[in-house]
Amino acid sequence: MHSLDQLRAFQAVFNKGSYSAAGRELNKDRTTVRELVKSYEDVLGFSLFTIVGRKAVPNEHANAIYPQVTLILRQSHQLDLYTRELFKHKLQELTVCIDHDFPNDFILEIETRVLKAYPEVRFNWYYRHREEALNALENGAVDLAFLPTKYRLLPKQTVLYKTLGYMSYYFYVGKQSPLAAHKSITLEDTQLEIQYIGEHTVRTDALLKPFSSHCRIVGSNDLLISLLEHQGWAILPHHIAGKAVAEGLIIKKPSPLLINDVKIPASVFFSASSQHNPIIMTILDWCSEMAEHYF
């Protein structure tokens, strides 16, 4: 089996035309270069050069294998550059928590930028409710968290955050719900009709609370909307309900529960130590840059 040193010696002799010149190119003495080429010839089972005076002239075998040897050495060099870049950036696996209500398009753009700028970094995206995500962030199990903010209330965890904008929530009813035909919805209507609310919302201890006497907790927004199409009501982010509204599956309604649409701050949370991580700091800069477009 050949070695990279043997291939480099062969390439240098081929290019320079002598063992002495190849030695100077590789910073090795002539004898070492000759031994490397000889050992490579032993592996191959045939000679590669004809000695003419002080020159090493490539024979037909050398001419035949030279392009492939050059390709291998080029790929080896590229691999060396790539691994140095990994070391430079301290190859790592970053874990990010997301609240179910956070805009998917925002996360998609972050993912796209990360893949382009840091293809060597492994990213994991997990849905977690607020307290679980913040606890994981505080103990170092998570690197970033995209979550709703409780307005001006600081989290009990020792973490930092940057507010990106506001997510708008509205009152929606299913197309087949009895409430769909009501011109005016009363508090009594909302109490008597089925309310769907996301599990993440309940566990977040947010402003949105179970209100109806018949409240059903649902594990995901997609399932919640599917259920809502047939009956009941829910308060949902506009960016999540918008597609179902456009398709006529659910209907946005004025409600006595909401004077206007509810606006809940959306933030990115991070630990103080992450400020020394250039990748995380770049992502935080992207978040600020993108915020105006998505919120």
Side-chain angles (χ1 to χ4, degrees), residues 23-86:
R24 290 191 291 272
E25 173 76 10
L26 298 173
N27 197 27
K28 297 179 184 295
D29 60 54
R30 179 186 182 283
T31 302
T32 300
V33 174
R34 178 68 187 93
E35 289 175 349
L36 285 169
V37 172
K38 181 64 172 65
S39 63
Y40 185 35
E41 290 174 330
D42 290 341
V43 170
L44 295 173
F46 48 75
S47 64
L48 295 169
F49 297 97
T50 301
I51 304 301
V52 180
R54 295 183 178 181
K55 296 290 184 180
V57 180
N59 61 24
E60 59 180 350
H61 299 306
N63 288 320
I65 68 171
Y66 178 78
Q68 189 65 35
V69 169
T70 300
L71 176 62
I72 291 171
L73 291 175
R74 183 183 298 120
Q75 291 174 332
S76 175
H77 180 62
Q78 290 173 342
L79 176 61
D80 183 58
L81 292 176
Y82 180 72
T83 52
R84 288 184 188 181
E85 189 69 9
L86 294 185

Side-chain angles (χ1 to χ4, degrees), residues 92 94 110 113-114 118 123 143-144 160 162 268 270-289:
Q92 56 191 301
L94 298 183
I110 292 291
R113 293 189 181 202
V114 165
Y118 304 106
F123 257 72
D143 301 289
L144 288 169
L160 305 175
K162 178 185 294 188
V268 55
F270 52 97
S271 66
S273 62
S274 66
Q275 295 179 94
H276 301 290
N277 185 312
I279 299 175
I280 292 179
M281 293 309 296
T282 298
I283 294 172
L284 292 175
D285 289 340
W286 289 341
C287 289
S288 298
E289 174 191 329

Side-chain angles (χ1 to χ4, degrees), residues 6-207:
Q6 290 171 337
L7 298 186
R8 292 188 185 103
F10 162 73
Q11 183 189 56
V13 174
F14 189 100
N15 290 336
K16 296 297 181 179
S18 76
Y19 293 109
S20 297
R24 290 191 291 272
E25 173 76 10
L26 298 173
N27 197 27
K28 297 179 184 295
D29 60 54
R30 179 186 182 283
T31 302
T32 300
V33 174
R34 178 68 187 93
E35 289 175 349
L36 285 169
V37 172
K38 181 64 172 65
S39 63
Y40 185 35
E41 290 174 330
D42 290 341
V43 170
L44 295 173
F46 48 75
S47 64
L48 295 169
F49 297 97
T50 301
I51 304 301
V52 180
R54 295 183 178 181
K55 296 290 184 180
V57 180
N59 61 24
E60 59 180 350
H61 299 306
N63 288 320
I65 68 171
Y66 178 78
Q68 189 65 35
V69 169
T70 300
L71 176 62
I72 291 171
L73 291 175
R74 183 183 298 120
Q75 291 174 332
S76 175
H77 180 62
Q78 290 173 342
L79 176 61
D80 183 58
L81 292 176
Y82 180 72
T83 52
R84 288 184 188 181
E85 189 69 9
L86 294 185
F87 178 80
K88 177 181 175 182
H89 287 302
K90 296 181 180 178
L91 175 63
Q92 56 191 301
E93 180 175 338
L94 298 183
T95 300
V96 184
C97 286
I98 321 164
D99 182 82
H100 282 265
D101 286 355
F102 216 89
N104 282 344
D105 287 348
F106 186 91
I107 300 302
L108 176 59
E109 182 160 346
I110 292 291
E111 169 78 354
T112 301
R113 293 189 181 202
V114 165
L115 283 171
K116 183 177 180 179
Y118 304 106
E120 76 281 2
V121 178
R122 294 185 294 272
F123 257 72
N124 303 311
W125 302 95
Y126 294 118
Y127 281 114
R128 295 290 187 269
H129 70 83
R130 178 187 168 88
E131 291 305 308
E132 183 180 359
L134 291 179
N135 288 337
L137 185 60
E138 185 179 44
N139 66 33
V142 166
D143 301 289
L144 288 169
F146 293 93
L147 307 166
T149 310
K150 292 184 177 180
Y151 289 93
R152 298 181 181 179
L153 295 179
L154 293 174
K156 64 183 180 182
Q157 295 83 358
T158 54
V159 297
L160 305 175
Y161 72 93
K162 178 185 294 188
T163 299
L164 304 174
Y166 294 88
M167 298 184 291
S168 296
Y169 290 70
Y170 300 94
F171 185 93
Y172 297 95
V173 301
K175 182 180 180 180
Q176 301 178 47
S177 167
L179 295 179
H182 289 209
K183 291 183 179 180
S184 176
I185 297 173
T186 66
L187 286 175
E188 184 179 16
D189 290 333
T190 59
Q191 289 176 320
L192 295 177
E193 186 68 20
I194 293 172
Q195 175 189 3
Y196 291 109
I197 188 168
E199 178 189 13
H200 58 283
T201 302
V202 174
R203 299 179 68 184
T204 295
D205 189 28
L207 294 176

